[in-house]
Amino acid sequence: MKYRLLLVSFFALSCHADENVSDPEICNVVKKVAYTVMEARQQKVPSQDLQQIANSLEDPKAKQLYQDLINSAYSAKVFRTSFFKRKAIEDFQTGWYEECLNRNEK
């Protein structure tokens, strides 16, 4: 799990740092990272594990975004059933994706 998070994080960093990447592509990266972060939350992965990944990011904007995702996910409830865990993950992912799209429209 930790390696998967790390891989997604570096993917997010590389896309975020590339000025030629279009906004919808950045939002797709945000969507994937949001999914992974909330999935970690629902699996009770300690937030410190994710913070270590965030701290390893060099791009300040990518680092801040990742920390915002972590803080948001870890303020949410952990559910007991797989149905509600999946719903929490999907809702979190959708919310962050839509927020990204809305910010990029401006």
Side-chain angles (χ1 to χ4, degrees), residues 46-71:
S47 65
Q48 295 87 343
D49 290 358
L50 298 178
Q51 287 294 344
Q52 286 178 340
I53 295 168
N55 292 337
S56 70
L57 297 174
E58 293 181 16
D59 183 277
K61 290 181 180 180
K63 184 180 215 173
Q64 184 60 53
L65 173 63
Y66 199 77
Q67 288 175 336
D68 290 345
L69 283 163
I70 294 166
N71 292 336

Side-chain angles (χ1 to χ4, degrees), residues 27-28 30-31 34 90-106:
C27 291
N28 284 330
V30 169
K31 182 179 178 181
E90 290 171 359
D91 289 349
F92 186 78
Q93 176 187 39
T94 300
W96 276 91
Y97 180 67
E98 289 174 355
E99 177 68 22
C100 180
L101 290 175
N102 290 336
R103 286 186 183 195
N104 286 323
E105 284 178 359
K106 296 179 182 177

Side-chain angles (χ1 to χ4, degrees), residues 78-97:
V78 174
F79 292 94
R80 291 184 196 165
T81 67
S82 60
F83 173 81
F84 287 112
K85 286 179 188 243
R86 183 68 41 212
K87 178 149 178 40
I89 293 166
E90 290 171 359
D91 289 349
F92 186 78
Q93 176 187 39
T94 300
W96 276 91
Y97 180 67

Side-chain angles (χ1 to χ4, degrees), residues 13-24:
L13 172 62
S14 64
C15 286
H16 196 280
D18 185 354
E19 295 294 328
N20 297 322
V21 175
S22 68
D23 291 341

